[in-house]
Amino acid sequence: MAFESLGEKLQGVFKKLKGQGKISEKDLKTALREVRVALLEADVNYKVVKDFINNVNERALGQEVLESLTPGQQVIKIVNDELTKLMGGFQSKLEISSKPPTIIMMVGLQGSGKTTSAGKLGRLLKKQGRRPLLVACDIYRPAAIKQLQVLGEQLDIPVFSMGNKTSPVDIARAAINHAAYHGNDIVILDTAGRLHIDEALMEELSLIKKQVNPIEILLVVDAMTGQDAVNVAEKFNELLDLTGVVLTKLDGDTRGGAALSVKAVTGKPVKFVGMGEKLDALEPFHPDRMASRILGMGDVLTLIEKAQENFDAKKSQELQQKLLKAEFTLEDFLTQMQQMKNMGPLDQIMDMLPGMNKAKLKGLQLDEKEFVRFQAIIQSMTKDERKNPQKINGSRRKRIAAGSGTRVQDVNRLLKQFEQAQKMMKQISGMTTGKGKKGKFKLPFM
Amino acid sequence: MGFFSKLKESLKTSLGGEKLSDSLTKTRKGFIDKIFDVFSGKKIDEELFEELEEVLIQGDVGVNTAIDLVEILRERVKSEKIKEAEQLRQVIVEEIINIMGEETSALNLTPGELNIILIVGVNGVGKTTSIGKLAYKLKSEGKRVMLGAGDTFRAAAIDQLKVWGQRVGVDVISHKEGADPAAVVYDAIQAANARKIDVLIIDTAGRLHTKVNLMEELKKIRRIIDKEASGALKEVLLVLDATTGQNALAQANTFGQAAGVTGVILTKLDGTAKGGVVIGIKAEQNLPVKLVGVGEKMEDLQVFRPQDFVAALFTEVEDEEYAG
């Protein structure tokens, strides 16, 4: 992961600095060059990076090197602080009108994920006890209306549509009346994707805004967007005066520098992030965590939260005891896998762990089907085998494979993964049962 | 003039290239302006190199590729004793063309037999739309075309493909939403064989390249094709959104491994995005761009011509005053 290289590079830069009282201009320059490359690799806009580096430079120059921190960490800390600050500092919530209905308008380029985000947002608000109405204002893309209708059906949320012959402005207006009549307190307008330089279509958004005066106008931005994010955000903001941003497809491996670019040029906060294709995968945005992600530092906070939510504390402690005594068995492995699964898709969890790089994790990638297979394999073992996996020789492997309806290769793979899991569990249980002390979890740059 | 006038010539005379160059030129104005600022009447110095690097990075070329390119320029300036900034412009065009190749990469289709094209990519890049346009293009060339609705996941994706099928006038083979895409592919191949189809284009659901199980599903689709129509799979095209930044490299890499990608369709080039990341993709993974999407209409899919691409990057058609 990029963080490791950044962390290591910075460490290298500052190694010779040990024992000195202050960060020198020259060393800082070398260090900031590495930060610059890291940010550019994360797709933060060039100009934004430039301003940012200047700010950090000013702040860091001549600063005392704190005793407890190495200079490398000190710079990372300043960079992280500045990034978090730039990204809004704190979490920004959705505005709800005091006089219903609350009108939310989703806008953005084609393929950024407006319709899916509209559905997810509807679900979130419905769960909070509100009565949302989804409105199909995309009359251009083939089957866009149908897509929203299918989502509405899945979520049990009404969808208002007037086909693809009526102008979106009229649809929006009619939808507000419909909402008033049917007691919907939230109206989510799903507009067509459009290019920010398409004047005719941009004008249409402007007219919808004038017509229904939405309290929230959310720009939906693909987290994988490159340098162009600033142009897009600038244009949409200029015309519509956005209220916020939804950052989608953040469940991939993109570092998401677009988040920073968009915030920097519009000043508008990211309010939600899309974390997957499932309809519950819309999460509030945490600027500090995003800062770490852009720098490639992993999202330890989210991981800890998820771990605390989902790990049975007692079971974890038992497991840790076993780990310490090296008694971690295949049965425990099964329990642990179950708990990990409760935390969410495994690849996401792995991404959050700093220092976990993809290559190292190759053998650990599990999908849900794999999990079922592993369960069958473990259950086909004798109790003795589960406790002492080293006993499982060739003929036992054959028997286990036959018994679980799998192949010997699958059994081998499981045993290999078990071995790796033993190593990893040591890290995770050390972290979750550190009695609130985060210090136990060693960040790779320390 | 020399090299530039040649480029310009190729730009103007190339059949069907007009729309591409139009839109590229239009969309790249900011990019070009900056190039002009960089070069006009300047002596070559360190600042110029830095500005050049900046311009490349802003075009999503990527920080590493940009640094490499500028490094090559530095060396050539030294060894060829280049003094004027204007000459440098020519050198960088040469270097990018060097990476992208001079020739267009045509689709590898064999007449008189079934050809299968598999379309893959992450969510929202324009796979289904590109398929509609590609079907139109191939049909206009006189081929019998069929579509397979392999995106059984996204709500209404099948309907979207059907609408395109109707527009273009080609058959669409589909199952219900939620069906096994491999089964759709199987049926589509049988139907294509029965109806003596020349080109079967198969749509797949958008998937992030980091989802291991979904990438496995792609491999399964490939296996079905290889089994049911051995040798018919001629192209696996990765659809990339021109607005995507450096993550496109990871996409090309992972999809390349899982699905055996043979080329790229670069979409949404009618915006302000530069799509510069394809330079890095070509340099690192030798994946050629074969087609480009330049609008929402049926005819807005064109053959990618590296010469045009670079020419449009560095020339401004409206401004006849440029020096070359």
Side-chain angles (χ1 to χ4, degrees):
Chain A
M1 228 185 237
F3 163 68
E4 281 169 319
S5 61
L6 178 67
E8 277 164 25
K9 278 178 194 161
L10 287 182
Q11 226 171 13
V13 170
F14 287 106
K15 210 166 193 174
K16 54 183 186 299
L17 210 74
K18 267 193 184 148
Q20 288 181 22
K22 281 180 181 165
I23 302 173
S24 81
E25 198 165 346
K26 196 170 150 263
D27 293 317
L28 187 63
K29 208 178 159 195
T30 323
L32 288 183
R33 196 174 300 143
E34 303 295 350
V35 175
R36 171 179 172 269
V37 170
L39 292 176
L40 288 173
E41 274 177 346
D43 286 322
V44 181
N45 182 265
Y46 193 91
K47 279 186 209 139
V48 177
V49 173
K50 216 170 181 178
D51 292 347
F52 177 77
I53 295 290
N54 285 341
N55 281 348
V56 174
N57 191 38
E58 259 170 49
R59 234 191 95 180
L61 197 63
Q63 251 196 34
E64 297 286 334
V65 178
L66 294 179
E67 270 175 36
S68 58
L69 295 169
T70 64
Q73 275 177 270
Q74 176 96 343
V75 172
I76 290 201
K77 190 179 171 298
I78 295 172
V79 168
N80 208 17
D81 285 356
E82 285 290 312
L83 266 184
T84 310
K85 209 167 83 187
L86 206 74
M87 221 124 45
F90 51 88
Q91 209 182 308
S92 196
K93 296 232 160 74
L94 197 73
E95 287 287 330
I96 300 291
S97 296
S98 50
K99 209 177 104 208
T102 294
I103 301 167
I104 303 168
M105 185 169 162
M106 315 290 283
V107 300
L109 297 182
Q110 290 95 339
S112 52
K114 287 172 297 302
T115 306
T116 307
S117 298
K120 288 176 179 177
L121 193 57
R123 180 190 169 275
L124 201 76
L125 290 164
K126 191 181 173 212
K127 253 184 85 182
Q128 291 169 5
R130 302 193 184 271
R131 303 192 53 210
L133 175 71
L134 292 167
V135 183
C137 290
D138 183 354
I139 58 169
Y140 307 102
R141 182 164 63 90
I145 297 171
K146 180 86 189 288
Q147 188 186 348
L148 196 66
Q149 283 167 341
V150 172
L151 285 179
E153 222 167 88
Q154 283 171 9
L155 296 166
D156 194 22
I157 294 174
V159 174
F160 181 82
S161 117
M162 293 168 74
N164 58 8
K165 300 279 187 286
T166 313
S167 101
V169 184
D170 294 336
I171 296 174
R173 189 179 39 207
I176 307 304
N177 293 333
H178 180 93
Y181 189 74
H182 289 86
N184 298 106
D185 54 357
I186 306 268
V187 176
I188 303 175
L189 305 175
D190 177 33
T191 65
R194 65 203 73 214
L195 283 171
H196 50 294
I197 51 170
D198 187 330
E199 278 167 28
L201 280 180
M202 290 300 280
E203 181 56 28
E204 179 194 286
L205 287 182
S206 195
L207 289 174
I208 296 177
K209 182 186 171 179
K210 266 191 211 134
Q211 187 64 246
V212 302
N213 197 22
I215 190 166
E216 286 277 6
I217 302 178
L218 301 175
L219 177 68
V220 182
V221 179
D222 184 330
M224 296 180 279
T225 311
Q227 298 285 319
D228 201 40
V230 288
N231 299 326
V232 175
E234 217 160 28
K235 277 274 176 347
F236 273 97
N237 192 43
E238 233 174 63
L239 184 80
L240 297 169
D241 190 17
L242 304 169
T243 60
V245 173
V246 180
L247 199 65
T248 61
K249 305 179 205 173
L250 208 57
D251 47 330
D253 59 355
T254 180
R255 304 248 301 276
L260 192 63
S261 305
V262 168
K263 179 69 180 37
V265 296
T266 63
K268 303 298 160 63
V270 179
K271 296 203 166 176
F272 296 99
V273 294
M275 293 299 293
E277 296 197 69
K278 297 217 176 87
L279 289 166
D280 58 355
L282 189 75
E283 297 176 6
F285 176 74
H286 299 281
D288 46 343
R289 299 176 192 182
M290 194 66 209
S292 302
R293 177 168 179 152
I294 289 174
L295 278 179
M297 302 210 316
D299 188 354
V300 187
L301 281 174
T302 303
L303 179 65
I304 291 171
E305 249 175 36
K306 284 206 173 178
Q308 281 169 345
E309 256 174 51
N310 291 293
F311 271 75
D312 185 326
K314 216 171 150 191
K315 269 189 186 164
S316 292
Q317 210 145 28
E318 277 173 27
L319 270 170
Q320 205 199 5
Q321 286 306 314
K322 285 181 174 174
L323 278 171
L324 289 175
K325 292 185 212 148
E327 276 174 8
F328 186 63
T329 67
L330 278 162
E331 214 152 273
D332 301 323
F333 182 46
L334 198 62
T335 319
Q336 197 74 344
M337 275 204 290
Q338 188 68 60
Q339 290 201 344
M340 292 276 285
K341 218 180 124 213
N342 292 341
M343 278 167 70
L346 278 167
D347 50 346
Q348 281 184 29
I349 296 165
M350 296 307 159
D351 279 348
M352 285 184 247
L353 271 176
M356 279 286 170
N357 72 38
K358 287 261 146 74
K360 256 194 247 165
L361 280 171
K362 266 244 157 100
L364 262 171
Q365 275 162 345
L366 303 173
D367 63 56
E368 321 275 298
K369 277 186 208 144
E370 187 95 326
F371 175 74
V372 176
R373 212 174 298 141
F374 280 0
Q375 197 168 9
I377 295 174
I378 295 178
Q379 281 164 354
S380 297
M381 295 175 181
T382 64
K383 270 189 184 161
D384 187 36
E385 283 166 345
R386 287 181 215 179
K387 265 186 196 148
N388 305 300
Q390 70 278 2
K391 271 191 186 168
I392 305 176
N393 59 19
S395 74
R396 281 175 195 253
R397 279 173 207 220
K398 257 188 218 160
R399 192 207 77 235
I400 293 165
S404 56
T406 58
R407 298 165 307 168
V408 177
Q409 294 98 294
D410 295 323
V411 180
N412 290 341
R413 202 166 63 243
L414 168 79
L415 290 170
K416 203 167 171 204
Q417 294 205 354
F418 170 65
E419 231 175 84
Q420 276 168 314
Q422 268 182 315
K423 286 178 202 155
M424 196 183 68
M425 286 311 149
K426 275 179 193 161
Q427 266 197 20
I428 289 185
S429 55
M431 190 174 72
T432 52
T433 53
K435 286 177 192 132
K437 265 188 280 175
K438 275 176 221 160
K440 234 184 161 183
F441 189 71
K442 214 163 154 14
L443 289 167
F445 61 83
M446 286 177 175
Chain B
M1 297 292 261
F3 191 64
F4 268 87
S5 51
K6 229 167 73 192
L7 278 178
K8 200 180 159 194
E9 210 52 43
S10 85
L11 188 88
K12 286 196 166 160
T13 52
S14 57
L15 220 113
E18 208 151 297
K19 171 91 189 210
L20 168 66
S21 60
D22 277 2
S23 63
L24 284 187
T25 313
K26 186 182 73 201
T27 63
R28 279 157 216 282
K29 241 183 182 162
F31 194 68
I32 293 152
D33 287 346
K34 275 172 218 138
I35 290 272
F36 270 80
D37 287 349
V38 170
F39 287 114
S40 63
K42 275 196 181 173
K43 281 264 177 286
I44 297 173
D45 55 12
E46 195 45 38
E47 202 189 331
L48 183 71
F49 284 125
E50 269 172 34
E51 278 177 61
L52 199 52
E53 185 187 302
E54 184 175 328
V55 169
L56 289 168
I57 288 171
Q58 289 201 351
D60 279 322
V61 168
V63 60
N64 291 324
T65 311
I67 290 173
D68 288 351
L69 271 170
V70 171
E71 197 47 47
I72 292 172
L73 290 190
R74 276 204 185 91
E75 276 165 28
R76 284 191 59 177
V77 164
K78 223 191 231 169
S79 66
E80 294 166 31
K81 301 203 169 43
I82 297 168
K83 291 263 156 45
E84 293 302 315
E86 281 300 332
Q87 287 171 279
L88 198 59
R89 210 172 89 187
Q90 199 167 315
V91 174
I92 189 159
V93 171
E94 277 173 29
E95 288 301 332
I96 296 179
I97 287 209
N98 203 11
I99 296 173
M100 298 308 288
E102 283 188 41
E103 302 302 317
T104 61
S105 304
L107 290 179
N108 167 29
L109 303 176
T110 316
E113 62 176 57
L114 175 63
N115 295 274
I116 298 177
I117 302 177
L118 184 64
I119 306 289
V120 300
V122 301
N123 319 63
V125 288
K127 282 179 297 301
T128 309
T129 307
S130 295
I131 289 171
K133 294 179 191 170
L134 182 57
Y136 171 79
K137 186 174 184 304
L138 293 171
K139 201 190 169 210
S140 333
E141 291 169 8
K143 297 189 173 71
R144 289 174 62 86
V145 180
M146 180 184 273
L147 308 180
D151 182 355
T152 56
F153 181 81
R154 182 169 60 87
I158 298 168
D159 293 278
Q160 191 183 346
L161 195 70
K162 279 184 180 162
V163 172
W164 273 105
Q166 266 165 17
R167 268 187 203 172
V168 179
V170 298
D171 291 345
V172 179
I173 302 298
S174 64
H175 285 192
K176 276 199 197 114
E177 207 171 292
D180 181 0
V184 180
V185 171
Y186 179 88
D187 280 0
I189 293 173
Q190 308 307 321
N193 277 325
R195 296 179 209 175
K196 306 247 176 304
I197 290 296
D198 296 314
V199 185
L200 168 63
I201 311 174
I202 295 170
D203 192 12
T204 61
R207 64 199 75 217
L208 287 178
H209 52 291
T210 48
K211 310 280 177 196
V212 177
N213 52 342
L214 291 179
M215 296 310 279
E216 287 298 324
E217 184 189 274
L218 266 191
K219 287 184 193 166
K220 183 177 170 193
I221 290 176
R222 260 204 79 125
R223 283 199 297 273
I224 298 282
I225 297 174
D226 289 340
K227 200 173 153 207
E228 294 304 317
S230 178
L233 185 62
K234 299 290 168 40
E235 293 278 1
V236 179
L237 299 178
L238 172 68
V239 183
L240 284 180
D241 181 335
T243 45
T244 306
Q246 297 314 297
N247 194 253
L249 286 167
Q251 291 172 27
N253 192 14
T254 320
F255 275 101
Q257 279 172 18
V261 174
T262 56
V264 169
I265 302 180
L266 189 62
T267 60
K268 306 185 197 176
L269 262 181
D270 46 335
T272 48
K274 286 85 184 175
V277 72
V278 295
I279 298 175
I281 289 176
K282 182 70 171 48
E284 283 179 24
Q285 296 164 37
N286 201 24
L287 268 187
V289 182
K290 298 206 166 183
L291 298 162
V292 291
V294 292
E296 303 227 325
K297 288 194 289 295
M298 259 192 312
E299 56 273 23
D300 291 339
L301 183 79
Q302 295 170 355
V303 172
F304 176 80
R305 294 184 174 80
Q307 299 259 356
D308 290 4
F309 178 72
V310 185
L313 274 174
F314 291 95
T315 56
E316 193 164 24
V317 170
E318 290 105 307
D319 180 9
E320 294 293 336
E321 291 301 300
Y322 76 98

